[in-house]
Amino acid sequence: MTTPVDFALNAADSALRTLFAKPRASRTCPTVPAQATELSEQDKVLSGALMRVNHVGEVCAQALYAAQALGTRDAALREHFLQASREEGDHLAWTKDRLDELGARPSLLNPLWYAGAFGLGLVASRLGDRLSLGFVVETERQVEAHLASHLERLPEGDHESRAIVAQMKDDEAQHALAAEAAGALQLPGPVKGLMRTAAKVMTTVAHRI
């Protein structure tokens, strides 16, 4: 029998793996091998900053799903969150590998981002499963829009980064649809606004630090 202590230990293990272990993807990284990437130093810096922001988003995704899996008492919903976390783990690995290729570093504040996102996930789970799913829907919709903006900002010649971001955008849309199908409730407008504000702060800071 799985106990609350087991769930808590699994959440702690997820945090340690996300923040300190090398992420491993289960899917092949999307690339465009026929189109070689040749970037100027300025473009490389821009791509590195944008992919650092995207990597932070995936760190937060791991925290959110771990917290929501910990907070729900519904076994089927817990598996839903854990499966989404595994899929987001591909994004974590892809963005980290791309940062390495660009000679850029992850955010120095990743432990802070993880802790904040984990706290939000726990709060959402305490509001009930359907509102917790609604939180997932809104988060994924905002991330999808954020990734669309990055496709506009990434250098045209950075085919590798653009392929990764495009696949991530498609996956986030699917996660939102899956959460809606599972019975998500729509969040109130003020809550959505607060989430957008928090995301703006995170992305602005992570772009540089």
Side-chain angles (χ1 to χ4, degrees), residues 141-170:
R141 294 297 187 209
Q142 291 189 17
V143 171
E144 184 184 359
H146 160 81
L147 292 171
S149 74
H150 274 202
L151 285 174
E152 296 179 357
R153 296 179 62 191
L154 280 165
E156 286 293 331
D158 190 353
H159 306 297
E160 282 84 351
S161 295
R162 295 177 67 84
I164 291 170
V165 171
Q167 183 61 58
M168 288 168 59
K169 179 177 175 294
D170 289 345

Side-chain angles (χ1 to χ4, degrees), residues 22-31 51 54-55 58 86-102 160-161 163-169 171-172:
K22 179 175 175 58
R24 303 288 184 183
S26 61
R27 290 178 289 170
T28 302
C29 182
T31 57
M51 295 307 286
N54 293 330
H55 181 260
E58 298 311 321
R86 287 189 285 269
E87 292 171 3
E88 296 282 3
D90 290 341
H91 301 174
L92 185 71
W94 296 342
T95 52
K96 178 58 171 66
D97 287 346
R98 187 62 186 144
L99 282 174
D100 292 342
E101 291 165 359
L102 291 165
E160 282 84 351
S161 295
I164 291 170
V165 171
Q167 183 61 58
M168 288 168 59
K169 179 177 175 294
D171 290 347
E172 308 301 357

Side-chain angles (χ1 to χ4, degrees), residues 6-16 18 58-72 77-78 80-86 88 114 117-122 125 132 136:
D6 294 321
F7 293 137
L9 290 174
N10 287 337
D13 180 68
S14 175
L16 293 173
T18 299
E58 298 311 321
V59 167
C60 291
Q62 291 300 308
L64 286 169
Y65 282 124
Q68 289 173 294
L70 178 64
T72 185
L77 185 57
R78 181 178 299 112
H80 171 93
F81 288 135
L82 292 176
Q83 177 59 32
S85 175
R86 287 189 285 269
E88 296 282 3
Y114 190 98
F118 191 88
L120 286 174
L122 275 183
S125 70
S132 185
V136 171

